[in-house]
């Protein structure tokens, strides 16, 4: 039962995420039906619009989903809205196309006969064309719905929740139980949705198009009753879910703040810690957007007011947000970052934690011995023969791979972007020989890696530091003391141990965060 133990131990979390996944998927597919059906009807009547509309929906389908999500984030922020919009756009093509094809394939003789008995154009559409098109239309809806269930896992990438949260978290920590806890319910959900829609299809399709139902009246009536009950139950559940969701949004407590985090282990631990610390020590309610994306996604959300606080790192804010060249003076980095964030963005930088999660490069001990590697300067002599696997953020940042290669004067034979703990798996299997790592990374201990010294002092200091919107602090001044108390005891050894508990012992980030806060007497 080992691989399924996570599912049994975290059933409440799985059910909550499953409900979120159903809500997000239903909204996206519902919008696709509302928009796609009229579009399909329109292009079947107005032929010149056929190619532009079909071309546009085909083009959307051809764009990679993550790329489309990337385009949506600057415009729509993070959370539910961009996730729903992206999946809605991907769900349009089958509905538009099947509606158009269904109407176009109706025999001209049938339409002529309808005109002959005096039906108007609108009556022909509602009484002839749409009923005859329903089997084809419902096939498109079923395709869209099943596809949307799988695609909606991307919602977790930007903090919208759903079962993708477990999948991404499991990949980050190499926890197969967590991956299965997200993948299996998603698979079952897709099958259930397809079955429900097949019942709806049978219900709405004219009897004349279902010869198997014409055997006897009693069989037909009984089946109709069962279908109506099943559809009624599903409709009631959807109304209950979305009614509750809409009500919660309409009466949202102004005493609620939104916090976020990046996708990897340490950030998930810190995010859960921050949420619990605030909720247990103040009257403030917390809305979580944990695992919502990288630095730029989170900071952009803060600028727009979609996020109130998250924990970042001094060097990251200094280089990646404020666009300064890396420097090694920790006090200069902190002071300048605090000043410029306040002046340019109305964002407060609270007290830094004692731990510094600085970047480093790590290699397998066998590789270190073979090439006599101890420092990054040593690496420069052999880098052209080695392959690197780094996180996507490190691969593209100036204080990441680009800057390191420039400072030390080397280029790897190949450099691949591999997010999460999977880069350690790639290192262990020999697919890559060098990975980026954080000094507090628990997997360094698990894989017994050799850390290469940054002998030229390229990397700036990366002390953990909370970023909070100034307006949020003004509305809730008690936050500063609460957050500072949490950060005060987090040294490098502590963070490495907390990360180890998640990555190696496979505890949940929430459990690890809670146990630490209780042990330190910060919450009861």
């Amino acid at each position: 039962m080992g691989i399924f133990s996570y599912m049994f131990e975290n059933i409440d979390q799985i059910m909550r995420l499953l409900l979120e996944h159903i809500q997000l998927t239903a909204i996206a597919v519902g919008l696709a039906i509302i928009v796609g059906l009229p579009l399909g009807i329109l292009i079947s009547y107005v032929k010149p619009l056929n190619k532009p509309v079909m071309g546009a929906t085909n083009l959307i389908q051809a764009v990679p989903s993550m790329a489309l999500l990337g385009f949506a984030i600057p415009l729509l922020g993070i959370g539910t809205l961009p996730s729903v919009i992206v999946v809605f756009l991907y769900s349009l093509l089958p509905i538009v196309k099947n509606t158009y094809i269904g109407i176009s394939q109706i025999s001209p003789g049938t339409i002529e006969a309808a005109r002959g008995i005096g039906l108007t154009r609108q009556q022909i559409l509602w009484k002839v064309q749409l009923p005859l098109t329903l089997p084809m239309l419902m096939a498109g809806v079923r395709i869209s719905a099943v596809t949307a269930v799988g695609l909606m896992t991307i919602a977790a990438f930007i903090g919208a929740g759903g079962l993708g949260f477990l999948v991404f978290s499991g990949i980050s920590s190499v926890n197969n139980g967590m991956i299965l806890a997200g993948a299996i319910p998603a698979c079952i959900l897709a099958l259930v949705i397809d079955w429900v829609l097949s019942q709806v299809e049978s219900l709405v399709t004219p009897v004349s198009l279902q010869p198997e139902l014409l055997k006897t009246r009693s069989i037909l009536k009984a089946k109709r009753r069962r279908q109506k009950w099943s559809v009624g139950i599903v409709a009631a559940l959807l109304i209950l879910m979305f009614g509750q969701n809409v009500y919660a949004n309409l009466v949202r407590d102004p005493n609620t703040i939104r916090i976020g985090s990046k996708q990897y282990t340490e950030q998930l631990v810190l995010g859960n810690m921050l949420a619990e610390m605030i909720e247990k020590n103040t009257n403030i309610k917390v809305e979580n957007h944990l695992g919502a994306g990288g630095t730029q996604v989170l900071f952009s959300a803060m600028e727009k007011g979609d996020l109130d606080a998250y924990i970042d790192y001094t060097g990251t804010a200094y280089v990646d947000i404020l666009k300064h060249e890396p420097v090694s003076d920790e006090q200069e980095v902190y002071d300048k970052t605090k000043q410029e964030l306040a002046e340019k963005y109305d964002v407060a930088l609270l007290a830094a934690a004692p731990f510094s999660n600085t970047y480093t490069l790590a290699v397998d001990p066998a590789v270190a011995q073979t090439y006599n590697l101890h420092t990054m300067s040593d690496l420069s002599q052999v880098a052209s023969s080695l392959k690197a696997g780094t996180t996507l953020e490190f691969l593209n940042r100036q204080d990441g791979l680009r800057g390191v290669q420039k400072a030390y004067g080397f280029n790897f034979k190949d450099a691949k972007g591999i997010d999460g703990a999977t880069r350690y798996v790639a290192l262990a299997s020999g697919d890559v020989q060098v990975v980026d790592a954080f000094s507090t990374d628990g997997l360094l201990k698990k894989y017994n890696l050799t850390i290469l010294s940054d002998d030229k002092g390229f990397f700036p200091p990366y002390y953990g530091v909370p970023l909070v919107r100034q307006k949020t602090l003004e509305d809730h001044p008690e936050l500063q003391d609460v957050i500072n108390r949490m950060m005060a005891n987090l040294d490098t050894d502590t963070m490495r141990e907390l990360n180890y508990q998640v990555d190696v012992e496979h505890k949940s980030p929430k459990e690890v965060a809670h146990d630490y806060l209780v042990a330190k007497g910060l919450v009861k």
Side-chain angles (χ1 to χ4, degrees), residues 362-382:
V363 298
D364 187 272
V367 172
Q369 185 175 1
T370 300
Y371 295 102
N372 193 28
L373 299 177
H374 303 284
T375 68
M376 293 185 194
S377 292
D378 295 336
L379 182 63
S380 65
Q381 306 300 315
V382 296

Side-chain angles (χ1 to χ4, degrees), residues 99-116:
T99 302
Y100 169 73
I101 292 173
I103 292 177
S104 300
Q105 287 181 346
I106 296 173
S107 167
T110 301
I111 304 300
E112 192 61 36
R115 291 197 187 104

Side-chain angles (χ1 to χ4, degrees), residues 185-224:
C187 180
I188 294 173
L189 177 61
L191 295 175
V192 169
I193 286 178
D194 187 57
W195 177 83
V196 170
L197 290 176
S198 72
Q199 299 303 301
V200 175
E201 177 182 353
S202 179
L203 176 65
V204 300
T205 300
V207 175
S208 60
L209 299 180
Q210 304 180 66
E212 72 280 1
L213 295 182
L214 295 175
K215 294 177 182 178
T216 67
R217 273 184 181 273
S218 60
I219 294 175
L220 176 59
K221 288 181 178 179
K223 190 161 186 176
R224 289 289 192 188

Side-chain angles (χ1 to χ4, degrees), residues 160-417:
L163 294 167
F165 175 80
L166 295 173
V167 176
F168 282 119
S169 298
I171 292 172
S172 296
S173 57
V174 199
N175 187 336
N176 290 332
M178 191 178 288
I179 295 172
L180 287 174
I184 291 175
C187 180
I188 294 173
L189 177 61
L191 295 175
V192 169
I193 286 178
D194 187 57
W195 177 83
V196 170
L197 290 176
S198 72
Q199 299 303 301
V200 175
E201 177 182 353
S202 179
L203 176 65
V204 300
T205 300
V207 175
S208 60
L209 299 180
Q210 304 180 66
E212 72 280 1
L213 295 182
L214 295 175
K215 294 177 182 178
T216 67
R217 273 184 181 273
S218 60
I219 294 175
L220 176 59
K221 288 181 178 179
K223 190 161 186 176
R224 289 289 192 188
R225 282 196 298 270
R226 289 196 300 270
Q227 290 168 348
K228 288 178 180 178
W229 272 106
S230 63
V231 172
I233 291 170
V234 172
L237 288 173
L238 290 175
I239 292 171
L240 180 63
M241 287 189 303
F242 296 120
Q244 182 182 14
N245 198 46
V246 170
Y247 176 77
N249 286 329
L250 288 175
V251 298
R252 183 182 173 189
D253 189 347
N255 203 39
T256 298
I257 67 169
R258 299 173 177 178
I259 66 169
S261 80
K262 303 178 190 181
Q263 303 100 327
Y264 52 88
T265 297
E266 179 168 290
Q267 282 280 302
L268 294 173
V269 171
L270 290 170
N272 277 289
M273 201 180 291
L274 182 61
E276 185 171 357
M277 188 71 180
I278 293 171
E279 288 191 318
K280 295 285 181 68
N281 291 281
T282 72
N283 293 321
I284 302 169
K285 296 179 182 178
V286 173
E287 182 180 313
N288 289 334
H289 291 278
L290 304 185
T295 299
Q296 293 300 331
V297 171
L298 294 173
F299 194 75
S300 175
M302 285 194 74
E303 286 187 271
K304 293 181 177 180
D306 294 336
L307 208 63
D308 292 290
Y310 78 100
I311 296 174
D312 213 318
Y313 305 93
T314 50
T316 302
Y318 186 78
V319 176
D320 201 33
I321 295 175
L322 299 175
K323 308 302 180 185
H324 293 300
E325 289 296 318
V327 296
S328 57
D329 187 320
E330 59 187 68
Q331 194 60 49
E332 177 186 346
V333 169
Y334 179 83
D335 291 342
K336 197 165 186 177
T337 300
K338 182 173 184 177
Q339 178 186 351
E340 292 189 18
L341 285 178
E343 292 175 351
K344 295 180 180 179
Y345 302 104
D346 287 326
V347 170
L349 197 71
L350 302 190
F355 78 90
S356 178
N357 190 12
T358 186
Y359 275 124
T360 187
L361 296 179
V363 298
D364 187 272
V367 172
Q369 185 175 1
T370 300
Y371 295 102
N372 193 28
L373 299 177
H374 303 284
T375 68
M376 293 185 194
S377 292
D378 295 336
L379 182 63
S380 65
Q381 306 300 315
V382 296
S384 59
S385 303
L386 305 177
K387 296 179 181 178
T390 75
T391 59
L392 293 170
E393 191 168 6
F394 184 84
L395 190 66
N396 293 295
R397 280 171 49 163
Q398 289 301 323
D399 61 334
L401 188 62
R402 293 179 184 178
V404 169
Q405 291 186 145
K406 182 179 179 181
Y408 284 91
F410 65 77
N411 284 292
F412 288 110
K413 179 180 179 181
D414 186 25
K416 301 177 180 179

Side-chain angles (χ1 to χ4, degrees), residues 436-452:
D436 69 316
F438 303 109
S439 58
T440 58
D441 200 334
L443 290 174
L444 290 172
K445 176 181 176 182
K446 176 182 179 180
Y447 289 95
N448 191 32
L449 300 184
T450 298
I451 299 173
L452 302 181

